[in-house]
Amino acid sequence: MAVEVVLLDFWASMFGMRVRIALAEKGIKYEYREEDLRNKSDLLLQMNPVHKKIPVLIHNGKPICESLIIVQYIDEVWNDKSPLLPSDPYKRAQARFWADFIDKKVYDTGRKLWSTKGEEHEAAKKEFLEILKTLEGELGEKPYFGGETFGFADVAFVTFSSWFYALETFGEFSMEAEHPKIFAWAKRCMQKESVAKTLPDQQKVYEFVLGMRKRLLGE
Amino acid sequence: MAEKVVLLDFWASMFGMRVRVALAEKGIKYEYREEDLKNKSDLLLQMNPIHKKIPVLIHNGKPICESLIIVQYIDEVWNDKSPLLPSDPYKRAQARFWADFVDKKVVDAWIKLRSTKGEEHEAAKKQFLEILKTLEEELGEKPYFGGETFGFVDVAFVTFYSWFYTFETFGEFSTEAEHPKIIAWAKRCMQKESVAKTLPDQQKVYEYVLGVTKRSLGE
């Protein structure tokens, strides 16, 4: 049976990257379609009428939206290799909790690092470092958030590592100096082909963020 | 093995209610502990140090946090009766999508409704009604969001029914007049013992919210 998998995405989206990594982990062939976020395709608007956002996975013509929901779907359908979620329900709940924490905290606060100034920016810097401290605490001495193997929470967070240079620059901190465990974990993940081949170059992302900041703050 | 299940919760929380409905659906005996949100217990702070929020389910001493994660955990562990999530991965992804939609949209829209005046309030009202319209369209002619049987999305949204009188009074609209299918669906859910025994009286919730709002406005 010909399996048709299409991904509507945007190259710099850490949410889209999660799906790309999951697809690569499972060895799934798919068609990648780059969206212009300022001129969204009819297909995107048709497949995700509720949020009108990428990523959208289209599997045999049927859409699945929201990156963490897509990753869980991929894990459940292509369940023959590279399990991303643990089999134990309690560990699964913990994995979901941390992926949800990343969704709730990292993006929004990270965004404030490059899109705000003055007091708001100072507050965001402080908050972001607290978030990294919390994640480092959760990682502990484990090689991955998932434990011995790369898993759901790793997929959820590792895509932000392509934004590290941008976040460090605007956040005025050094990941390596201040959060060495996260830095080491990100490097460990980059040893995996699925991650290395998916994540864009940090400098390229930085230039993209610079462009967004200029448009937003009019600099 | 004797299972010990404890729920840290707050009576008016639509998030906590989701867990109560799920536990009731599965016929699970548990100890309910009411939290004073202005004076959180040591147990709550110890069991949910990250968010410090209710609900928290403590199963044999181990905490699970975030209402939708807890409901999925309950569904997976007590999988012998009343399945809440579908068995088909695609339908499961759709259920997660709509529960996530409720989480992302309804509370934010309510906050805007209760904290704005004039033009902003009118816009908030419009937004709230749009959300109800979207949900009504998703429900369609189905008896439940889950289809023929009460499921995950129904659990995620029905708890908000206990807040409808509050939403309607602050928002100056009638759900029954604008979105009758939603009311019909809610009443259908209220026929279920798990829902009827969990949801507090709408008037009681309204009086609580009024009290909180007055205090926050210094009245």
Side-chain angles (χ1 to χ4, degrees), chain A residues 19-74:
Chain A
V19 181
R20 280 176 256 159
I21 289 174
L23 290 166
E25 280 287 300
K26 304 284 187 175
I28 298 161
K29 290 204 193 322
Y30 65 99
E31 181 194 333
Y32 177 93
R33 289 204 206 179
E34 184 75 12
E35 283 285 332
D36 175 355
L37 299 184
R38 282 169 290 169
N39 185 22
K40 292 174 179 177
S41 71
D42 287 341
L43 182 64
L44 173 56
L45 300 176
Q46 183 199 333
M47 290 285 144
N48 191 359
V50 176
H51 299 302
K52 305 177 173 55
K53 287 179 170 180
I54 57 90
V56 178
L57 190 78
I58 311 173
H59 184 202
N60 291 330
K62 300 197 291 186
I64 305 101
C65 308
E66 294 300 303
S67 64
L68 294 180
I69 293 175
I70 300 171
V71 172
Q72 288 183 81
Y73 174 78
I74 289 169

Side-chain angles (χ1 to χ4, degrees), chain A residues 28-161:
Chain A
I28 298 161
K29 290 204 193 322
Y30 65 99
E31 181 194 333
Y32 177 93
R33 289 204 206 179
E34 184 75 12
E35 283 285 332
D36 175 355
L37 299 184
R38 282 169 290 169
N39 185 22
K40 292 174 179 177
S41 71
D42 287 341
L43 182 64
L44 173 56
L45 300 176
Q46 183 199 333
M47 290 285 144
N48 191 359
V50 176
H51 299 302
K52 305 177 173 55
K53 287 179 170 180
I54 57 90
V56 178
L57 190 78
I58 311 173
H59 184 202
N60 291 330
K62 300 197 291 186
I64 305 101
C65 308
E66 294 300 303
S67 64
L68 294 180
I69 293 175
I70 300 171
V71 172
Q72 288 183 81
Y73 174 78
I74 289 169
D75 199 44
E76 289 167 14
V77 173
W78 288 274
N79 56 12
D80 50 327
K81 66 181 276 202
S82 305
L84 295 169
L85 273 115
S87 44
D88 170 68
Y90 187 75
K91 290 187 175 147
R92 223 174 9 249
Q94 296 312 99
R96 286 179 178 138
F97 176 86
W98 286 103
D100 175 70
F101 174 86
I102 288 153
D103 258 8
K104 282 186 162 95
K105 301 277 186 180
V106 183
Y107 180 73
D108 279 349
T109 310
R111 189 175 197 280
K112 285 184 193 156
L113 288 182
W114 57 263
S115 66
T116 62
K117 287 180 186 178
E119 259 185 58
E120 231 193 311
H121 183 251
E122 283 308 304
K125 266 169 67 180
K126 225 179 140 204
E127 207 192 321
F128 197 77
L129 291 175
E130 274 302 312
I131 290 164
L132 292 178
K133 195 171 154 213
T134 302
L135 285 167
E136 217 169 28
E138 169 56 20
L139 181 64
E141 300 306 316
K142 306 196 299 287
Y144 300 103
F145 282 94
E148 291 304 310
T149 48
F150 183 80
F152 191 59
D154 300 284
V155 175
F157 187 40
V158 78
T159 63
F160 285 81
S161 69

Side-chain angles (χ1 to χ4, degrees), chain B residues 7-150:
Chain B
L7 176 63
L8 309 181
D9 200 356
F10 177 66
W11 71 272
S13 163
M14 54 285 255
F15 303 102
M17 285 175 221
R18 289 166 167 177
V19 181
R20 280 176 257 159
V21 171
L23 290 166
E25 280 288 300
K26 304 284 188 174
I28 298 160
K29 290 206 192 321
Y30 65 99
E31 182 194 332
Y32 178 92
R33 289 205 206 179
E34 184 75 14
E35 283 284 334
D36 175 355
L37 299 183
K38 284 169 287 162
N39 185 22
K40 293 173 178 176
S41 71
D42 288 340
L43 183 63
L44 173 56
L45 300 176
Q46 182 199 334
M47 290 284 142
N48 191 1
I50 304 293
H51 299 301
K52 303 176 175 56
K53 287 182 171 179
I54 55 90
V56 179
L57 190 79
I58 311 172
H59 183 202
N60 294 329
K62 300 197 293 185
I64 304 102
C65 308
E66 295 300 303
S67 63
L68 295 181
I69 293 174
I70 300 171
V71 172
Q72 289 183 80
Y73 174 78
I74 289 168
D75 200 43
E76 289 167 13
V77 173
W78 288 274
N79 55 12
D80 51 328
K81 68 181 276 202
S82 304
L84 296 170
L85 274 114
S87 45
D88 171 68
Y90 187 75
K91 290 186 175 149
R92 227 180 359 258
Q94 296 311 99
R96 287 179 178 137
F97 176 87
W98 286 104
D100 175 71
F101 175 86
V102 172
D103 260 10
K104 279 186 163 91
K105 299 281 187 179
V106 184
V107 175
D108 272 357
W110 153 240
I111 289 170
K112 284 191 187 131
L113 207 60
R114 72 145 197 252
S115 59
T116 55
K117 289 184 186 168
E119 257 185 61
E120 258 190 277
H121 182 81
E122 280 309 301
K125 185 178 155 182
K126 217 176 148 208
Q127 191 191 27
F128 200 89
L129 289 171
E130 270 301 310
I131 290 164
L132 291 180
K133 184 169 167 229
T134 304
L135 285 165
E136 203 175 40
E137 279 167 5
E138 170 55 22
L139 180 64
E141 299 307 316
K142 305 196 297 291
Y144 300 102
F145 283 94
E148 290 306 307
T149 48
F150 183 79

Side-chain angles (χ1 to χ4, degrees), chain A residues 110 113-114 128 160 163-173:
Chain A
L113 288 182
W114 57 263
F128 197 77
F160 285 81
W163 283 61
F164 276 4
Y165 179 64
L167 294 168
E168 285 172 290
T169 308
F170 291 109
E172 292 157 3
F173 69 93

Side-chain angles (χ1 to χ4, degrees), chain B residues 133-192:
Chain B
K133 184 169 167 229
T134 304
L135 285 165
E136 203 175 40
E137 279 167 5
E138 170 55 22
L139 180 64
E141 299 307 316
K142 305 196 297 291
Y144 300 102
F145 283 94
E148 290 306 307
T149 48
F150 183 79
F152 190 59
V153 183
D154 303 284
V155 175
F157 188 43
V158 77
T159 61
F160 286 75
Y161 181 60
S162 62
W163 281 63
F164 272 19
Y165 179 67
T166 305
F167 297 153
E168 289 169 357
T169 308
F170 277 81
E172 295 156 311
F173 65 86
S174 154
T175 313
E176 179 127 40
E178 311 259 357
H179 300 288
K181 278 188 182 153
I182 299 259
I183 295 294
W185 159 81
K187 286 182 166 167
R188 188 176 299 122
C189 292
M190 286 291 279
Q191 306 269 333
K192 294 176 73 59

